[in-house]
Amino acid sequence: QVQLVESGGGLVQAGGSLRLSCAASGRTFSSYAMGWFRQAPGKEREFVAAHNWSGGPTYYADSVKGRFTISRDNAKNTVYLQMNSLKPEDTAVYYCAVHRRPLHIIGVKPDYWGQGTQVTVSS
């Protein structure tokens, strides 16, 4: 059974940093896309970043380019999201996602989701 477990969320002041982790279990995901989405209150879930396969390209939403960095450790089946220069508008529940196809495609429906971790950025 596939399971994704996120960690690393919390409360931080604007300009601060957080690092999210997502540990996947149940199979090997080196050929899968791994990434992050987020959902703010009253808004739809949106794409944040993706690492589309081991050694492959990375993609970012325009709103986080230059501030967030996605990376993955295939030996640990884990994907990370380093978030720097955080802004209040980054406040959301962040969800880890894994998919057999690229995750940055509009309308994608990931095969697997994590339970989400709250990130709150105070001004």
Side-chain angles (χ1 to χ4, degrees), residues 28-49:
T28 300
F29 292 101
S30 58
S31 63
Y32 279 59
M34 301 183 78
W36 296 90
F37 289 70
R38 68 186 181 186
Q39 188 166 17
K43 295 187 176 182
E44 293 187 354
R45 193 171 297 189
E46 63 176 4
F47 168 78
V48 176

Side-chain angles (χ1 to χ4, degrees), residues 3-4 14 18 25 28-29 32 36 38 42 46 58 68-69 72 78 88-89 101 106 108 110 118-119 122:
Q3 189 174 16
L4 306 180
L18 284 174
S25 61
T28 300
F29 292 101
Y32 279 59
W36 296 90
R38 68 186 181 186
E46 63 176 4
T58 55
F68 291 11
T69 302
R72 62 192 287 171
T78 299
E89 50 264 44
R101 296 178 179 271
I106 294 174
V108 67
Q118 176 69 46
V119 171
S122 63

Side-chain angles (χ1 to χ4, degrees), residues 21-24 34 71-80:
S21 300
C22 172
M34 301 183 78
S71 60
R72 62 192 287 171
D73 184 336
N74 288 321
K76 297 181 179 180
N77 253 2
T78 299
V79 63
Y80 305 95

Side-chain angles (χ1 to χ4, degrees), residues 4-21:
L4 306 180
V5 178
E6 298 109 332
S7 60
L11 173 64
V12 64
Q13 288 189 330
S17 299
L18 284 174
R19 188 192 194 207
L20 306 183
S21 300

